[in-house]
Amino acid sequence: MIKVVNLHKRFSSLHVLKGITTHIKPGEVVCIIGPSGSGKSTFLRCLNLLEEPSAGEIFIEGVKITDHKVNINDVRAEMGMVFQRFNLFPHMTALQNITIGPVQIRKLSQEEAEERAYTLLDKVGLREKAHEYPDNLSGGQQQRVAIARALSMHPKAMLFDEPTSALDPEMIKEVLDVMKDLAKEGMTMVVVSHEMGFAREVSDRVLFMDDGVIVEEGPPSQLFNKPQNERTRSFLSKVL
Amino acid sequence: MKHLKTLLAMLIIAIIFLFAACTGQAQETVEDTAGTETVLRITSNPEGAEVFINGEPYDGVTPLTIRGLSPGRYSVEVVKARYRKESRYVEVKPGENAVRFSLAETSLYYLWKITPLLLLGAVMTLFLTIISVFNGIIIGTFAGMARVVPVRLLNIISGVYVNFFRGTPLLVQIFMIHFGLPPVLGSLFGDGTPIPLNPFLSAFSALSINSGAYVAEIIRAGIQSIDRGQMEAARSLGMSYWQAMRHIILPQAVKRVIPPLGNEFIAMLKDSSLVSVIGMEELVRKAQVIVTRTYRPTETWLGVGLVFLMMTLPFTKVVTELERRLKTGD
Ligand SMILES: Nc1ncnc2c1ncn2[C@@H]1O[C@H](COP(=O)(O)OP(=O)(O)O)[C@@H](O)[C@H]1O
Ligand SMILES: [Mg+2]
């Protein structure tokens, strides 16, 4: 589904990603953990080309998206992205946030887009907030709308960049629950998160990143209980 | 409330000025010819003033002929509503005596009389400012967008434009267009002799281009004030740069841009007075013409100030209100 080969990213002199290679299978839920500044966000942003890789290749369903010939907008439309700070469009209602993509990009009719938007709002439990503006929603509600917005494009995979780390503790669960449902439905997901409970329970595989490389990877039971690498052990001892 | 106080302060200053200006001078012309009976002719411009001789009211209004006064020194005073009263000592001798008064309007009446002219100028100022800022907004929207879009050539061109017109005095820009351009136009489109521009065209062009540069900065700042995450969220949905601009960035930027645009309009309303130097008949130019005729600069310029204030205060109030609403979340 997503194949990454020897991915590098440099910000001028700063070498952030130093050769990432991994393969994410359809329906797989992959959690990425690692210390701050290790390049987790940069890696995620490379997957939908919000950052342009400096070297290496990324294939999505066999299509080499790092090729300059591909339409970058088509690539992004197939990858849903959820941000740490939600980034909802504040001048639009929850419903409009969810219909703008399908209407503008997929050229759906307004009615059809709204019908689908309501289905998605039901899914994240916010149908009654359809006509609220983001400013009138709690952080947890905003993030759930943001997830619905990403899903509105029917993406092949969803990318989450620390979706709960800007939330008050009591709102984390409602967002994680939505993500768990999504995982159960078989959505391919790449999640950068410090929610170890979520990683343990939901993910098929955990990647531990440090200093721009994948230091260790494996199923959560193995990575959390029997970490092989010294750096993984020391990181886990701090966060668990 | 705050504007009311400012207005009051201005009025008090105005009144002080008016009193200070109350030192009108009239020229005295007394002619006399030999004779037996005294004749005193009192004329005034304008006519119709009441006459007081030694403080006593005399029947009739100017022009007035008084016969049979015994020779001697008299105090003659003429009084007419809305004019400053004039008094003078006149040596009345046997024969013809004449005294002529030239009455000056009171400051308030003078202001009242020049008000239509000033308002005419103000209408021109307002009209010139409105069309220039309108034009400036069109130019500035393109120039401002050109500064932020990821097209290097556009960035450079609009950068040069904005920096040039913000970095040089408006007065110089007016001169460059009104005096600098005709020879160029002449050699480009004519036989080499300068093609003169009429003051309105020069004024309109200079103010539009200048305003465009300031508006461009406002638009640029407005666009860049939108959180980066907005563009990223839009792009991650699959929108093109232009779709994201149109549906996500610009609608949010428009709101933030309106109050500074209001301020730009107010600034341009005041700065447009500079075009008076090329003979454009707006408020300031009108006042200059009036002063050369009436020799009353004090009231005239005070009047001009008040007319400007009448124009700027309402807009200032609107802008303040917009800013307040924007701060409290639309
Ligand atoms: N646009 C950018 N320009 C320059 N440096 C960046 C940029 N984005 C991220 N970085 C740097 O790259 C490094 C990795 O950042 P990031 O991927 O956000 O780490 P993480 O998400 O793991 O905390 C950090 O040192 C950060 O400062
Ligand atoms: Mg990060």
Side-chain angles (χ1 to χ4, degrees):
Chain A
M1 164 92 216
I2 303 174
K3 202 169 120 195
V4 181
V5 182
N6 198 21
L7 180 70
H8 286 261
K9 176 64 187 176
R10 287 186 183 81
F11 291 110
S12 55
S13 64
L14 191 66
H15 200 170
V16 176
L17 297 182
K18 303 171 179 171
I20 304 263
T21 300
T22 191
H23 186 184
I24 296 158
K25 295 187 282 294
E28 197 179 13
V29 176
V30 175
C31 272
I32 303 176
I33 59 172
S36 174
S38 57
K40 306 181 298 294
S41 298
T42 306
F43 172 58
L44 212 58
R45 293 157 61 83
C46 280
L47 293 183
N48 71 350
L49 301 179
L50 276 183
E51 301 289 357
E52 193 187 345
S54 310
E57 283 146 17
I58 300 171
F59 299 87
I60 291 178
E61 291 193 323
V63 179
K64 185 170 163 189
I65 64 165
T66 38
D67 196 326
H68 283 289
K69 284 197 284 287
V70 300
N71 184 330
I72 202 165
N73 299 322
D74 293 345
V75 172
R76 292 192 183 122
E78 301 303 329
M79 304 285 270
M81 178 122 182
V82 175
F83 300 86
Q84 182 175 348
R85 305 218 37 84
F86 331 137
N87 296 349
L88 287 182
F89 307 133
H91 59 302
M92 296 178 179
T93 61
L95 189 72
Q96 289 168 333
N97 265 277
I98 303 172
T99 54
I100 179 94
V103 170
Q104 292 302 329
I105 302 156
R106 300 275 194 235
K107 304 297 174 200
L108 252 62
S109 71
Q110 188 66 34
E111 297 75 47
E112 204 176 339
E114 281 186 15
E115 199 176 309
R116 281 171 50 172
Y118 278 114
T119 313
L120 288 169
L121 280 171
D122 280 336
K123 192 172 190 153
V124 299
L126 287 172
R127 176 182 268 265
E128 77 280 11
K129 300 288 185 191
H131 299 289
E132 292 287 350
Y133 283 90
D135 282 349
N136 299 330
L137 300 175
S138 72
Q141 292 169 335
Q142 287 190 51
Q143 192 62 299
R144 285 187 279 156
V145 173
I147 293 172
R149 176 178 68 181
L151 290 172
S152 71
M153 295 298 289
H154 277 316
K156 296 191 173 114
M158 288 281 283
L159 311 174
F160 295 82
D161 192 358
E162 305 198 28
T164 56
S165 57
L167 296 177
D168 293 335
E170 72 269 22
M171 295 171 182
I172 291 178
K173 187 175 176 298
E174 65 191 53
V175 172
L176 291 182
D177 284 347
V178 168
M179 291 167 64
K180 281 177 196 167
D181 288 347
L182 216 51
K184 272 188 216 130
E185 287 169 19
M187 176 62 80
T188 309
M189 292 164 63
V190 184
V191 184
V192 174
S193 180
H194 292 128
E195 294 297 326
M196 297 305 165
F198 176 84
R200 221 185 260 273
E201 186 185 334
V202 181
S203 68
D204 302 302
R205 185 155 52 109
V206 179
L207 307 185
F208 172 66
M209 268 182 77
D210 192 12
D211 199 23
V213 293
I214 297 174
V215 174
E216 186 171 352
E217 62 179 299
S221 53
Q222 183 203 312
L223 196 116
F224 287 128
N225 300 335
K226 300 189 276 300
Q228 304 296 303
N229 193 291
E230 181 49 43
R231 276 147 83 188
T232 320
R233 267 199 292 277
S234 108
F235 174 75
L236 288 174
S237 71
K238 278 179 222 147
V239 296
L240 286 178
Chain B
M1 205 53 224
K2 209 167 154 230
H3 298 298
L4 218 68
K5 274 188 199 158
T6 330
L7 198 60
L8 242 119
M10 279 302 294
L11 279 176
I12 289 166
I13 294 168
I15 288 162
I16 291 168
F17 265 93
L18 292 186
F19 274 111
C22 279
T23 48
Q25 292 282 319
Q27 66 204 59
E28 182 178 353
T29 36
V30 182
E31 299 152 21
D32 56 342
T33 38
T36 45
E37 192 193 37
T38 65
V39 179
L40 176 60
R41 293 187 204 282
I42 303 167
T43 52
S44 72
N45 177 30
E47 298 181 337
E50 290 168 47
V51 177
F52 291 75
I53 306 290
N54 285 341
E56 294 296 319
Y58 198 90
D59 220 11
V61 294
T62 55
L64 191 65
T65 307
I66 303 174
R67 294 173 193 280
L69 286 174
S70 47
R73 193 173 145 84
Y74 292 87
S75 141
V76 180
E77 188 175 50
V78 290
V79 177
K80 185 169 164 62
R82 299 198 296 252
Y83 288 82
R84 291 186 189 145
K85 65 180 171 198
E86 288 281 340
S87 67
R88 193 175 306 153
Y89 287 104
V90 178
E91 202 62 49
V92 177
K93 293 169 188 159
E96 289 282 336
N97 296 272
V99 55
R100 173 151 57 239
F101 291 90
S102 172
L103 296 177
E105 297 100 343
T106 60
S107 291
L108 273 179
Y109 184 53
Y110 172 78
L111 271 179
W112 170 251
K113 272 175 71 174
I114 64 166
T115 293
L117 283 174
L118 292 185
L119 289 184
L120 211 66
V123 167
M124 197 60 212
T125 289
L126 209 53
F127 174 67
L128 187 64
T129 306
I130 288 172
I131 58 172
S132 298
V133 172
F134 181 81
N135 220 10
I137 288 175
I138 294 172
I139 299 171
T141 301
F142 283 104
M145 299 255 308
R147 291 208 80 181
V148 296
V149 297
V151 183
R152 190 110 186 89
L153 186 67
L154 288 180
N155 300 158
I156 292 171
I157 294 171
S158 60
V160 168
Y161 162 66
V162 167
N163 286 316
F164 183 86
F165 284 95
R166 277 166 48 96
T168 53
L170 175 55
L171 187 60
V172 173
Q173 294 162 20
I174 293 167
F175 284 161
M176 279 195 301
I177 288 176
H178 193 65
F179 302 118
L181 216 48
V184 179
L185 292 177
S187 57
L188 282 181
F189 305 112
D191 57 2
T193 52
I195 298 175
L197 295 169
N198 77 44
F200 179 82
L201 199 62
S202 299
F204 172 58
S205 315
L207 294 184
S208 298
I209 295 171
N210 179 272
S211 185
Y214 282 90
V215 171
E217 271 305 274
I218 293 171
I219 302 284
R220 182 195 61 73
I223 291 173
Q224 289 182 342
S225 75
I226 304 301
D227 185 73
R228 269 189 47 181
Q230 292 292 307
M231 178 57 96
E232 290 183 351
R235 297 305 302 272
S236 76
L237 277 179
M239 286 191 199
S240 68
Y241 179 85
W242 295 106
Q243 280 177 318
M245 265 293 175
R246 163 144 180 252
H247 296 289
I248 308 303
I249 306 298
L250 292 182
Q252 295 182 61
V254 160
K255 280 191 210 160
R256 301 197 188 178
V257 147
I258 287 170
L261 281 184
N263 285 329
E264 163 62 14
F265 178 79
I266 293 166
M268 194 43 75
L269 199 59
K270 293 183 286 182
D271 289 348
S272 70
S273 57
L274 283 171
V275 302
S276 59
V277 297
I278 56 168
M280 172 68 209
E281 285 255 336
E282 42 66 78
L283 179 50
V284 166
R285 179 72 190 165
K286 271 269 184 322
Q288 286 174 333
V289 172
I290 291 169
V291 169
T292 55
R293 210 184 59 227
T294 63
Y295 303 109
R296 293 184 73 163
T298 313
E299 295 95 334
T300 311
W301 290 113
L302 183 74
V304 169
L306 289 175
V307 171
F308 267 115
L309 201 61
M310 268 165 41
M311 291 193 286
T312 53
L313 271 187
F315 289 114
T316 312
K317 212 173 152 57
V318 168
V319 170
T320 314
E321 177 65 17
L322 281 174
E323 274 170 346
R324 193 187 61 77
R325 274 199 210 165
L326 212 70
K327 217 175 276 170
T328 55
D330 314 328

